[in-house]
Amino acid sequence: MNMVELIRKKRRGEPLTKEEIGGFIAGYTRGDIPDYQASALLMAICFRGMDARETADLTLAMADSGDRIDLSAVRGVKVDKHSTGGVGDKISFVVAPLVAAAGIPVAKMSGRGLGHTGGTIDKLESIPGFRTELPNEQFLDNVNRYGMAIVGQTGNLAPADKKLYALRDVTGTVDSIPLIASSVMSKKIASGADCIVLDVKTGSGAFMKTAAEARLLAEAMVAIGKSLGRRTVAVISDMNEPLGREIGNANEIREAIATLRGEGPADIAAISLALASHMAVLGGAFPDYGAAHERLAAMLASGEALAVFRRFVLAQGGDAACVDRPELLPQAKRHIDVRAAAAGYVAGIDAEAVGLAAMALGAGRRRKDDSVDHAAGVTLLRKTGERVEAGEPLCVMHTNGDNADEAARLLERAYTIGADRPAPREYILDTVR
Ligand code: URA
């Protein structure tokens, strides 16, 4: 394969063949194609795009660049969920037990956090004793016995994507819809799911700043799912402020447990119920979305999903007492208020700034090998649309360290206070099937 000709072809806006895309991915993964040629091709894709067939071929080539997880030992239709990333996103801890309570198995592999967004695995590890590494047989057995298991990513899943993502990060080629869509979907395909439900975030705290961009990304991913034989639904949800009121590891587990008790914030409950309903329909538990939503809402209220979560925690070695008494989860030594400089209504909370503040307090990682403080985080006492008087606390920082000044500056800047109450936002903006 002539890489220079491939770059020129895409630069002219012509579609690449399946063989050309496969040759590029295989060659780049092996190290035969240098970064400078891969960067040039990525930039040409950013400018010229890819059609649906090319995007599906790219996805499949990346999914096939490493191991594929074999979930055939799990009984039933396997439905996976993926979020494009947000701050305070603890939706998986509510969705997975809800879907499992409806009889649909959830075998989930998740990652650790980096930068301003937290990771599912770090959050689970705030539960004392909880093991996120299980031998493969136990992982599959737990799914069959308890309906769900969540472990850290193991093996060599989509190594082409790992390498290309690192290159995109430093060459200004992250924000291209075919590249993002194929990156996300290649990992889901390699993880072995039969059906996929995507939570595509839009707003100031998300990759996709507008609902129109988010819809294009959602459509691209649903089209990939369709051409690769995975039924896929994408929900577009608001990420103009953090989800819920808790940001951090133990904090977010506490808020997820509150939601499973029917006492959680409205945004977490609404988005969780929507995603879980789509998953349960794809898995065949209900004939339609309306029936699924009604039944799952009842399961949330009755504590059935909470019972699944308790069994899941116990099965992975965690202290299940924390589920009934969340105050047993790690708590920070110091709790410091950040106060409003003026009276008014909260007009917005910059999710990325809140995520960076939580990271500064120790809840997240600046670098891949940093450790995290499970007790650190932020509680938002005021959210968008709520009234605050001058000098009243907007939020509380939880910390064991001495880094509260940087976090406080970020949090003060994160809040916008205005004279008028802003119109309420919808949590779910659109759905692509
Ligand atoms: N998340 C991914 O996994 N890949 C992207 O390209 C962007 C976000």
Side-chain angles (χ1 to χ4, degrees):
M1 189 185 58
N2 183 337
M3 204 41 212
V4 175
E5 186 40 44
L6 210 69
I7 296 166
R8 284 211 188 103
K9 189 172 175 187
K10 184 43 77 183
R11 204 187 72 190
R12 291 192 297 270
E14 293 169 27
L16 305 179
T17 65
K18 185 180 176 77
E19 291 67 36
E20 286 167 334
I21 291 170
F24 162 62
I25 291 299
Y28 185 62
T29 311
R30 279 196 308 269
D32 296 348
I33 294 169
D35 281 349
Y36 53 81
Q37 288 186 319
S39 310
L41 182 61
L42 291 170
M43 190 56 86
I45 294 171
C46 280
F47 280 116
R48 292 303 205 154
M50 278 185 145
D51 64 26
R53 196 270 308 148
E54 288 176 284
T55 311
D57 287 343
L58 178 60
T59 306
L60 196 57
M62 293 201 292
D64 282 336
S65 66
D67 301 337
R68 286 241 202 167
I69 307 295
D70 179 5
L71 295 180
S72 56
V74 173
R75 292 186 291 273
V77 181
K78 276 73 73 178
V79 189
D80 203 354
K81 172 242 168 204
H82 180 82
S83 154
T84 59
V87 174
D89 189 349
K90 66 278 292 173
I91 299 280
S92 287
F93 307 126
V94 182
V95 162
L98 256 177
V99 173
I104 305 301
V106 181
K108 197 158 173 49
M109 294 210 158
S110 295
R112 294 183 186 278
L114 185 62
H116 73 280
T117 57
T120 298
I121 291 300
D122 297 319
K123 293 171 196 178
L124 284 171
E125 284 178 350
S126 70
I127 303 171
F130 194 96
R131 284 186 296 133
T132 55
E133 285 177 26
L134 297 179
N136 195 43
E137 301 75 62
Q138 192 185 343
F139 170 57
L140 300 174
D141 192 48
N142 280 12
V143 180
N144 281 330
R145 275 171 198 261
Y146 309 109
M148 65 176 286
I150 305 179
V151 293
Q153 263 158 24
T154 51
N156 193 22
L157 273 200
D161 173 63
K162 209 170 281 166
K163 230 179 139 181
L164 279 175
Y165 193 78
L167 187 63
R168 287 166 57 209
D169 212 18
V170 293
T171 54
T173 53
V174 168
D175 47 355
S176 142
I177 284 179
L179 293 180
I180 299 175
S182 56
S183 165
V184 169
M185 291 297 282
S186 66
K187 288 173 285 211
K188 294 287 111 184
I189 303 280
S191 302
D194 301 316
C195 308
I196 301 160
V197 173
L198 301 158
D199 183 7
V200 180
K201 305 284 188 200
T202 181
S204 60
F207 263 116
M208 298 288 130
K209 300 296 174 203
T210 66
E213 284 174 310
R215 183 160 178 107
L216 289 177
L217 177 61
E219 284 171 352
M221 294 194 286
V222 170
I224 293 171
K226 192 171 174 195
S227 54
L228 299 183
R230 308 299 194 282
R231 288 166 68 209
T232 303
V233 173
V235 168
I236 299 171
S237 68
D238 184 68
M239 185 33 75
N240 275 298
E241 64 174 347
L243 275 171
R245 291 185 186 267
E246 300 289 352
I247 297 94
N249 296 295
N251 282 7
E252 293 195 30
I253 295 288
R254 260 186 225 111
E255 193 168 50
I257 293 170
T259 309
L260 287 165
R261 284 184 195 292
E263 297 160 3
D267 55 351
I268 303 284
I271 297 172
S272 301
L273 275 171
L275 294 169
S277 301
H278 286 299
M279 289 172 77
V281 172
L282 288 179
F286 299 100
D288 58 55
Y289 180 86
H293 197 280
E294 190 179 325
R295 182 70 190 107
L296 293 181
M299 283 175 161
L300 202 54
S302 70
E304 282 171 80
L306 180 69
V308 174
F309 185 77
R310 192 186 290 107
R311 282 199 298 272
F312 149 75
V313 167
L314 203 57
Q316 295 199 209
D319 181 359
C322 293
V323 178
D324 301 308
R325 294 174 55 208
E327 65 277 13
L328 296 176
L329 289 163
Q331 307 251 14
K333 290 196 193 80
R334 294 196 298 145
H335 309 277
I336 306 163
D337 291 340
V338 175
R339 292 174 185 276
Y345 290 94
V346 176
I349 309 174
D350 179 342
E352 186 173 348
V354 175
L356 290 171
M359 183 180 74
L361 293 167
R365 296 185 180 77
R366 283 179 211 273
R367 283 181 214 87
K368 250 202 214 140
D369 38 11
D370 287 349
S371 59
V372 300
D373 179 350
H374 291 121
V378 178
T379 302
L380 304 174
L381 300 176
R382 297 288 195 286
K383 287 202 68 181
T384 300
E386 293 173 356
R387 173 94 199 157
V388 65
E389 301 305 327
E392 280 184 350
L394 289 166
C395 59
V396 187
M397 302 183 289
H398 310 286
T399 180
N400 290 311
D402 52 7
N403 34 19
D405 289 351
E406 181 191 346
R409 275 193 297 276
L410 283 160
L411 290 166
E412 278 159 14
R413 279 209 303 270
Y415 272 87
T416 307
I417 309 286
D420 302 317
R421 188 196 289 269
R425 282 182 197 280
E426 298 286 339
Y427 302 132
I428 307 234
L429 307 171
D430 209 346
T431 303
V432 179
R433 291 160 216 255

